[in-house]
Amino acid sequence: YPNPANNNFALPIHLEKGQRIVLEIYSVLGVKVSSELLSLASGNHILVKSFDLTSGQYFVNLVDENGIAITTKRLVVVK
């Protein structure tokens, strides 16, 4: 999870079994700038590559398919 990140980052997460989750990225003003549905196998990290964000601070929110928040992390992007 390099923070600040440039072009990719990893999020620590613990999944007992494979499931679908939504990865949402919000600006510090609360504006959703990205949302992506991911089908994941079990594991402990999500690697996000080649995202298109300008320099700034963001919040990354992971939500399961039932709408329950799994985790929220702060992300700093420096380009």
Side-chain angles (χ1 to χ4, degrees):
Y1 188 113
N3 206 1
N6 185 356
N7 200 31
N8 59 55
F9 62 93
L11 288 173
I13 183 174
H14 180 69
L15 297 176
E16 296 276 333
K17 59 181 180 176
Q19 66 186 78
R20 293 173 16 165
I21 64 167
V22 178
L23 182 139
E24 301 170 328
I25 301 177
Y26 292 89
S27 71
V28 293
L29 299 176
V31 177
K32 187 186 293 186
V33 295
S34 178
S35 181
E36 185 174 346
L37 178 64
L38 305 171
S39 294
L40 303 173
S42 61
N44 59 4
H45 282 84
I46 296 172
L47 181 60
V48 180
K49 295 182 178 181
S50 300
F51 57 91
D52 187 30
L53 297 173
T54 59
S55 295
Q57 293 187 33
Y58 299 89
F59 291 98
V60 180
N61 190 33
L62 297 176
V63 180
D64 70 10
E65 56 192 330
N66 298 320
I68 299 171
I70 298 171
T71 188
T72 300
K73 299 287 185 181
R74 186 176 67 96
L75 173 67
V76 177
V77 175
V78 177
K79 296 229 174 175

